[in-house]
């Protein structure tokens, strides 16, 4: 029987954990292209991180943090735009690399961003890399 500490080291995969750090060195499938066509904004969870997968109106795919940087509403309620994902609450728009590219009524507050990860669509699957 392994110790509680070793069990934790081997099984916890969140950010900052040993196993999580190892797993973040690989690309992971996060969704299917056909599903993203049907539903262009999806909440997803990978390696203990809650994220938002989205496809913009111009066809770019992004993977951003779960919450808006403004008032922390879920970006899963976001609305795809040509230039990114618009938050449903006050309209801040995030590009696929997580930068705020539109901030209605508050343009002086730029730049801001949320966590974002690179994505690629290969073989009908959408892959992401959470590593350094
Ligand atoms: S909560 Fe997203 S723009 Fe205000």
């Amino acid at each position: 029987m392994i110790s509680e500490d070793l069990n934790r080291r081997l099984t916890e995969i969140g950010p900052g954990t040993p196993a999580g750090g190892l797993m973040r060195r690989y690309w992971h499938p996060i969704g299917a292209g056909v599903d993203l066509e049907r539903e262009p904004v999806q909440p997803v969870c990978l390696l203990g991180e809650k994220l938002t997968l989205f496809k913009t109106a111009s066809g770019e795919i992004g993977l951003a943090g779960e919450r808006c940087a403004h008032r922390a509403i879920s970006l899963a309620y976001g609305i795809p735009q040509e230039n990114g994902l618009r938050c449903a609450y006050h309209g801040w728009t995030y590009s696929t690399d997580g930068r705020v590219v539109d901030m209605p009524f508050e343009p002086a507050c730029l730049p801001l961003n949320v966590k974002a990860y690179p994505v690629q669509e290969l073989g009908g699957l959408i892959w992401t890399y959470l590593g350094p």
Side-chain angles (χ1 to χ4, degrees), residues 38-110:
R38 267 195 306 260
E39 193 63 50
V41 184
Q42 301 175 6
V44 292
C45 185
L46 179 64
L47 299 177
E49 291 191 55
K50 293 180 178 175
L51 303 164
T52 305
L53 180 65
F54 64 96
K55 187 170 195 170
T56 67
S58 62
E60 277 188 279
I61 299 173
L63 182 64
E66 177 192 27
R67 301 271 170 194
C68 177
H70 184 213
R71 297 284 166 91
I73 190 174
S74 172
L75 288 176
Y77 299 114
I79 304 155
Q81 307 288 300
E82 282 290 324
N83 60 348
L85 182 66
R86 181 176 296 277
C87 177
Y89 205 15
H90 302 106
W92 290 15
T93 302
Y94 298 92
S95 63
T96 54
D97 61 0
R99 286 178 301 110
V100 175
V101 292
D102 188 21
M103 189 183 282
F105 315 114
E106 305 172 82
C109 296
L110 293 169

